[in-house]
Amino acid sequence: MAAKDDPIVIKKYANRRLYNTGTSTYVTLEDLAEMVKKGEEFTVQDAKTGDDITHPVLTQIIFELENKDGQNMLPIPFLRQLIAFYGDQMQMIVPSFLEESMIAFSKEQERFREQMKGAIGKSPLDMMKMATPIKALEEQTRRNMEMFQNAMRLFTPFPPAGSAPAAAPAEPARKETPEKPDDLQQLKDQIAAMQRKLDTMS
C-alpha cells in the first residue's frame, strides 16, 4: 500500500529517452507536463548513475513550454531579474518567496475556478460578482511584490555605488550586520502572516 503513494520513477537514458517505470512505457517531456497538471508525483533519475535529475528535467519542460507560440508566461523583466539573483545575497530567499507566492496564487485560482463553475446560468448581477476573485489575485500579487521589495531592502542595506555621498554615517552600517538574522526571521513571519490571512479568506 505504501508503495502506491511513492512518486513514480522516470528513468532518463543516455540517448535522452525517458522511461516511465510505473507504466513500463517510454514518455516525452509533454507527457511529463501532463502528469504535473494531473497532480501525479514523479522523480526523474539518471538511468546510469541513479542521480536525481528532477529539477533540470522540470526546468527543461518549462523551457519547452515557453518556446511554444502563445504560451509565454514568464515576462522578460522577470527573467532578467531572476538571472540577476543567481549568486546574489538575495538568492537564499528567492525560492521560498516564489514557492509561497505560487501556493497563495493557486489557492485563489481554485476559488476562482469553483465560482466560475457555478456561474453558468447566473444573472448579470451575479456575474459582476465574479470580478472579486480577479481583484483578489491582483491584490495578492501587489502584496507579494511589496513584500519582496521590502525583503530586498533588508538584504541590501548599502546603496549602489554613486547613489549616495561617500561620507555616509558608519553607525547604520555597523547595525545592519548583526540584525540580518532578525530581518530574515521578520520576513518569514510576514510570509506566514500572509498565508494565515489567505487561509481565513478560503
Side-chain angles (χ1 to χ4, degrees), residues 50-90:
D51 293 342
D52 189 323
I53 55 172
T54 308
H55 187 279
V57 169
L58 292 177
T59 305
Q60 188 179 357
I61 291 173
I62 292 173
F63 176 79
E64 295 288 337
L65 291 173
E66 282 290 308
N67 277 283
K68 285 188 175 180
D69 291 338
Q71 289 207 159
N72 305 84
M73 281 203 306
L74 304 178
I76 289 177
F78 172 80
L79 292 172
R80 291 184 189 279
Q81 187 65 72
L82 194 61
I83 291 169
F85 283 139
Y86 283 94
D88 186 86
Q89 56 188 356
M90 287 294 295

Side-chain angles (χ1 to χ4, degrees), residues 92-139:
M92 65 183 196
I93 69 165
V94 171
S96 60
F97 169 79
L98 292 177
E99 185 175 2
E100 290 295 331
S101 297
M102 288 305 293
I103 290 172
F105 183 81
S106 294
K107 286 186 176 181
E108 291 295 334
Q109 179 193 46
E110 284 305 313
R111 289 177 57 195
F112 180 66
R113 283 180 173 171
E114 287 301 316
Q115 291 192 17
M116 285 296 289
K117 285 179 184 177
I120 300 174
K122 298 284 186 181
S123 68
L125 182 61
D126 290 330
M127 291 299 292
M128 287 176 64
K129 295 177 183 177
M130 295 301 297
T132 303
I134 297 175
K135 289 180 180 178
L137 287 174
E138 291 174 349
E139 178 63 18

